[in-house]
Amino acid sequence: MAGGGEEVTLLGHWGSPYVIRVRLALYLKGVPYTYVEEDLRSKSDLLLRSNPVHKAVPVLIHNGRPICESQVILQYIDEVFVAGSGATSSAFSLLPADPHERAVARFWAAYVDNEIGAPWDKAFRSRTEEERAAWMGKVAAAVPGLERGLRECTDGGRKGCFFGGAGGVGYVSTSTSCSAAWRRTCTRSMEKVSGLRLFDGENTPLLAAWLERFGELEVARAVLPDVDRVVGYVRMIHAKNAAKAAE
Ligand SMILES: N[C@@H](CCC(=O)N[C@@H](CS)C(=O)NCC(=O)O)C(=O)O
């Protein structure tokens, strides 16, 4: 049960990067919440009722009202849980105050979902090695664009260290928690599973350094799942997908 008279419940799955980004945001904002782990093979009535369109996690339920889609949830959290609202003591804002900087942050958050997250999901669900390699090729092709974005957002790496948010962990960092998580978990897991290196000091020095720094933060340590657990999960899904392909 959340404190301060607010009831906040998150329906999630431990391995979902979309859920992880919401958990990062709630942690950064200091919002207490009840976490409900969903079995995605047997979804709860609450999940089906709360997200009848996509039937997917994350769903945030705030005082009985569901909010779906992780980017929408992040923006909701940023707007609702503000200092002095009684809902949280944190003055921390995920999105920058300046409208142009906010637009830039949203642009890169969308870039991450569309150009990196979407093909990554397809790779995850691929039934053959060839199909998976093709989708991961698309992910790899989008990574230099993100490196360029980080350079522009941070004035060549000099301004702020965390990609969106003046020197702090901001909206893009949080919504890119997939990437941040990738460095510590999914990326390392993918590296272990497929041998593909997406972020390294030579080709993507800013991203590599940023993700390393992000991974060291208390919030990352508290929220990101264990690499070996993710590796085991990814391998299990790949094996299931391969078995389906062979049917
Ligand atoms: N665009 C959605 C993506 C959410 C999503 O794909 N969630 C997955 C877990 S990672 C899910 O719940 N899938 C439902 C299923 O597997 O049936 C968001 O940003 O929230």
Side-chain angles (χ1 to χ4, degrees), residues 13-14 41 124 193 229-243:
H13 182 270
W14 70 270
R41 288 158 305 180
F124 186 62
V193 172
R229 190 175 180 203
V230 177
V231 170
Y233 182 68
V234 171
R235 288 205 166 119
M236 186 267 288
I237 296 289
H238 285 182
K240 275 193 175 172
N241 292 347

Side-chain angles (χ1 to χ4, degrees), residues 85-160:
S85 69
T88 176
S89 58
S90 172
F92 179 83
S93 177
L94 293 171
L95 275 163
D98 176 76
H100 184 259
E101 285 183 22
R102 288 165 89 87
V104 171
R106 289 189 176 116
F107 174 88
W108 286 111
Y111 182 90
V112 166
D113 271 10
N114 299 336
E115 309 301 328
I116 295 184
W120 189 292
D121 283 352
K122 299 263 191 202
F124 186 62
R125 290 172 215 284
S126 293
R127 292 192 172 186
T128 63
E129 288 292 336
E130 294 71 31
E131 207 186 315
R132 187 175 307 129
W135 285 116
M136 286 312 288
K138 288 192 187 299
V139 173
V143 167
L146 192 59
E147 174 79 4
R148 203 163 40 246
L150 181 53
R151 185 170 298 114
E152 282 164 19
C153 281
T154 60
D155 189 19
R158 288 185 293 279
K159 210 169 89 181

